[in-house]
Amino acid sequence: MSYLNKLLKRNVQKATLNKNVSLNATITTLIEDLKKRLSKYYIHYELSSKLQIFDNSSTQDRVENFPNLYLEIEDFLSLQPNEDFDKVNFRKKIKTTYSLLNEKDELRTIFIEDDETQKVILSQLFLKDVLIKSKDLLGDFTNPFLVEAEKLLVSSPLSFETITQQKASTILKELFEYSNLIQKRIQESLGLNAMLSIYNNAYNKHFNNYYLLDNFTITVNLVPEQLLVAENVNLPSKGQLHRLLKSQISSLEDINVKLSKEIFQKSQIQKELEDNEKLYSAVIHNSLDANVIFNVDGIIIRSNKKAAEFINAHENQINFYKLLPEDFSIKLKNTIDKFSLNTASGLEQEFFEFEVYENEETIYYNLKVNPIYINSKMLFFCVIRDISKDIRNIIRIEEARIIAEKSAKAKTTFLSNMSHEIRTPLNVILGLSELFNRKDFTGSDKEYENIEAIRFSTENLLMIVNDILDFSKIEAGKLNVQKVDFNFKELISNLHKGFRIKAEEKGLDFSMNITNSIPKYVVGDQYRLSQILNNLIGNSIKFTKKGFINVNITAKELEDKTIQLYFTIEDSGYGIPKENLDSIFESFYQSHHSEKKTEGTGLGLSITKELVSLLGGKLTVKSKVNVGTSFKFDLNYKVSDLSELELQNTQNINHNLRNKKILVAEDNRLNQLFIKQLLKKWDAETTIVSNGQEAVEIVKLHNFDLILMDIQMPVLDGLEATAAIRALEKEKKNIPIVACSADVFPESRQKAEEAGVNYYITKPISAKSINEILYLLTTSN
């Protein structure tokens, strides 16, 4: 370990020696170059002697004596009349050419361009010499301050790069203070004479090296006063002292200018503050709110014009709390007192409200309190606002809301009742007409044609009823969307068959083209899609006198088993004027044409646009008068996971109902007739009762596989009867119940589900809808 330490020490010494050798070579080269420039002049004896001594000096002496010799040469050249000599540029050139000079602070200091930075480094070098000479006498420092000073000035002095002009003055001031403390600590350790001797030696060395620098005079500020009056001290020249005095005067002038600017700025700020105070006072004084400042005891210190009216109304009361209603005043005072005593917080976030009864009228107020501190004294700033108009508006809005809700409820009740009254006979007409199919019908063709006409007219009437009800549900935001598996291509095929007959009756060409890539079965709302296409295609046929109606359906495959279907319905009809295009989707809008009388409710396109939007698509239209109209929309559907066999099984339900016992609770005799005939076709055993009470009693006595329950019945309605059946013993309470109602509103469906029904179907009841539900019920058992 000892050998290793010696080796490391030797390597450090070797590296230092190599560095000094390189620096010595640089200094020697520079002096030789300067001697060449001096050769054309007569050199005075003193400079000549210094050059000769330099040539015969050791490496260390050359480095130490370089500052003095270089500055003597520089001074000599500057005095020559034939020399175009500029010290600043000369030093810049030397600094660039002989870059190794920058490796040592004692040499680099000469070539610093910024005066303030040069002053800092000169002061730092001087104090460094003082500490080194002190340590030579004392050995290692024991005084904490001298240890810290050595670390700051000797071990890790400030680098040139960290000293900026802005920081230089501050650093110089600190160094002057450091010098005074260093003098004091050295005197305490060695005595006054030793301290003066150390400073004298350091100063003489410093003077010898740098006295020709203009900024050397800064060192005088670091020397003890006792030395400055001694005869043997090398003081700066009169010129340098003059420059020092001039610099200090200039510095004082700069300080004076800065102080003058600051005084002016402060006066401007003061004026702005006074102006702002006037403005603030004017704003507060004329505020529509009452503003009051009071102390912890409630005594009013200041108030604005509005508050003065409030105070005058209370016989010039000067206690803030006595301006307020008694109960509220006590509550507010307790809150503020707790805050004042630091036992509660959050006063700034609280809003208070109180009311006053005046002139047979209630006045409502809002009150906000904020603490303010003036000269360490806690005061409270309070804003009182009359909110009577706001409160009355809220009351009016609430009353209007209640009236609107009652109106909406009455409207819903009316539509529900109307729906029941209209759909009940429609249920019978459609149901009975569906029982006749072409192959089983034994009457004449004319009779079958009449039945079809009845069915078609009933469906049109049902469509109008549905439009009115859908419009009401859309307005109320209660239109629901179903997601069920359905046969998309069958739906399009049925639409094609129905509308082709209507189109041919008017002599129109009708076509529906569907891309082969569209799957047969998809998941979505079959009824809403059918409603959209019925409205758009029906409109095209209605407003086309001659020509064509084309329906094109294309598809784009998306991710996650989803397809995007694009629908286009175009015709060669009357067209829509450009100025009316934005109006056709408005409720109750009806198109007028000279050759076509106005028909319909004016709700079709409005509902269609809402339905497309509800299903996640967008409906657009383009039209030109006497050329035609084109409607386009797109919808996304999931591809069904069910197989074709599973979907087709719903058509074979009649085989599953043979000998099944079905209870029908229905008070309308025509509906009883239709349902009885329908179930008879499927070989089911049917029992019919006329009210809910009868249904409950017969269920207690007999077993049934299924109950079809009408909702609106006398004695006990369908929901009450369902709840009573669900309350029976286990064998009875699990009977599947299907609610049959003419009420299409979501609330009715929800109430039915809460009562315990398994499925809910709306009238008019089709054989297909009963078919599907019966299939689901029978296959689940």
Side-chain angles (χ1 to χ4, degrees), residues 104-304:
K104 195 169 180 65
D105 287 352
E106 285 81 353
L107 309 183
R108 185 181 178 188
T109 305
I110 299 169
F111 304 100
I112 296 173
E113 296 172 27
D114 179 64
D115 286 345
E116 297 303 314
T117 303
Q118 192 178 58
K119 289 176 183 178
V120 171
I121 301 302
L122 283 169
S123 301
Q124 186 174 271
L125 289 172
F126 172 72
L127 291 176
K128 176 182 174 183
D129 280 344
V130 169
L131 287 170
I132 290 171
K133 293 181 185 303
S134 300
K135 194 170 183 180
D136 289 342
L137 291 174
L138 286 169
D140 290 337
F141 291 132
T142 56
N143 185 284
F145 174 76
L146 292 176
V147 171
E148 183 65 27
E150 180 188 29
K151 182 179 177 182
L152 179 67
L153 297 167
V154 180
S155 304
S156 55
L158 291 169
S159 66
F160 291 10
E161 290 74 20
T162 60
I163 303 169
T164 62
Q165 190 168 3
Q166 186 178 2
K167 292 168 65 176
S169 59
T170 304
I171 296 170
L172 279 172
K173 185 178 178 183
E174 290 175 355
L175 287 173
F176 295 157
E177 292 172 358
Y178 245 69
S179 180
N180 291 332
L181 290 170
I182 289 169
Q183 292 173 33
K184 186 176 179 181
R185 296 293 178 266
I186 294 173
Q187 185 174 337
E188 288 172 355
S189 301
L190 296 172
L192 176 62
N193 291 332
M195 182 272 289
L196 292 175
S197 176
I198 290 169
Y199 265 86
N200 186 55
N201 290 336
Y203 179 78
N204 286 333
K205 178 185 174 184
H206 211 60
F207 178 85
N208 186 58
N209 282 337
Y210 303 112
Y211 79 95
L212 287 173
L213 285 175
D214 289 340
N215 292 320
F216 168 75
T217 52
I218 197 69
T219 313
V220 175
N221 295 307
L222 305 172
V223 176
E225 291 182 8
Q226 295 94 325
L227 282 182
L228 293 177
V229 297
E231 294 180 359
N232 60 341
V233 175
N234 292 312
L235 291 173
S237 65
K238 288 183 179 179
Q240 287 177 316
L241 287 173
H242 178 72
R243 283 193 293 273
L244 174 61
L245 183 60
K246 189 176 179 182
S247 172
Q248 290 178 339
I249 291 171
S250 176
S251 177
L252 288 172
E253 288 175 347
D254 290 340
I255 292 170
N256 186 50
V257 169
K258 288 179 182 178
L259 285 172
S260 298
K261 285 182 179 178
E262 286 181 10
I263 291 169
F264 177 75
Q265 288 171 352
K266 284 182 178 179
S267 66
Q268 289 294 103
I269 292 169
Q270 182 65 31
K271 187 175 183 303
E272 288 179 12
L273 286 173
E274 289 173 359
D275 292 342
N276 287 336
E277 173 66 18
K278 289 177 183 177
L279 180 62
Y280 175 75
S281 297
V283 171
I284 294 295
H285 186 67
N286 295 293
S287 172
L288 296 177
D289 299 327
N291 298 150
V292 179
I293 297 176
F294 59 94
N295 64 16
V296 290
D297 298 319
I299 303 302
I300 296 173
I301 294 171
R302 189 172 177 181
S303 62
N304 70 344

Side-chain angles (χ1 to χ4, degrees), residues 68 91 118 189 193 221 229 231 252 262 278 280 332 344 365 412 438 497-498 501 512 537 574 587 639 675 682 692:
N68 173 263
R91 289 177 184 176
Q118 192 178 58
S189 301
N193 291 332
N221 295 307
V229 297
E231 294 180 359
L252 288 172
E262 286 181 10
K278 289 177 183 177
Y280 175 75
L332 180 65
Y365 291 100
T412 301
R438 191 64 175 167
K497 290 174 186 175
I501 296 170
M512 290 188 77
I537 298 171
Y574 302 128
S587 303
V639 178
I675 294 173
W682 295 335

Side-chain angles (χ1 to χ4, degrees), residues 458-476:
T458 306
E459 286 178 347
N460 279 341
L461 179 58
L462 179 62
M463 190 177 294
I464 292 171
V465 173
N466 286 341
D467 277 352
I468 294 170
L469 292 173
D470 283 346
F471 175 72
S472 176
K473 285 191 281 185
I474 288 169
E475 274 193 328

Side-chain angles (χ1 to χ4, degrees), residues 33-34 62 108 188 288 334 399 471 480 527 577 633 689 721:
D33 290 343
L34 290 174
R62 285 188 176 189
R108 185 181 178 188
E188 288 172 355
L288 296 177
N334 287 338
E399 289 173 349
F471 175 72
N480 293 327
Y527 172 71
F633 66 95
V689 295

Side-chain angles (χ1 to χ4, degrees), residues 425-434 436 441 446-462:
L426 286 178
N427 179 49
V428 177
I429 298 169
L430 275 178
L432 290 174
S433 63
E434 279 186 354
F436 296 98
F441 187 69
K446 183 65 176 174
E447 288 172 332
Y448 185 77
E449 187 178 333
N450 289 340
I451 291 172
E452 283 293 288
I454 291 170
R455 185 177 63 80
F456 180 76
S457 297
T458 306
E459 286 178 347
N460 279 341
L461 179 58
L462 179 62

Side-chain angles (χ1 to χ4, degrees), residues 57-104:
S57 297
S58 64
T59 299
Q60 185 175 351
D61 288 341
R62 285 188 176 189
V63 173
E64 288 183 1
N65 295 327
F66 173 78
N68 173 263
L69 180 58
Y70 168 79
L71 290 171
E72 288 277 3
I73 294 171
E74 189 183 78
D75 187 59
F76 176 84
L77 291 173
S78 68
L79 296 173
Q80 303 310 308
N82 297 328
E83 278 283 342
D84 184 13
F85 189 79
D86 181 352
K87 282 186 182 181
V88 175
N89 290 328
F90 188 69
R91 289 177 184 176
K92 278 184 181 179
K93 188 176 179 181
I94 289 176
K95 183 180 177 182
T96 305
T97 308
Y98 304 93
S99 57
L100 273 179
L101 295 174
N102 296 322
E103 297 292 327
K104 195 169 180 65

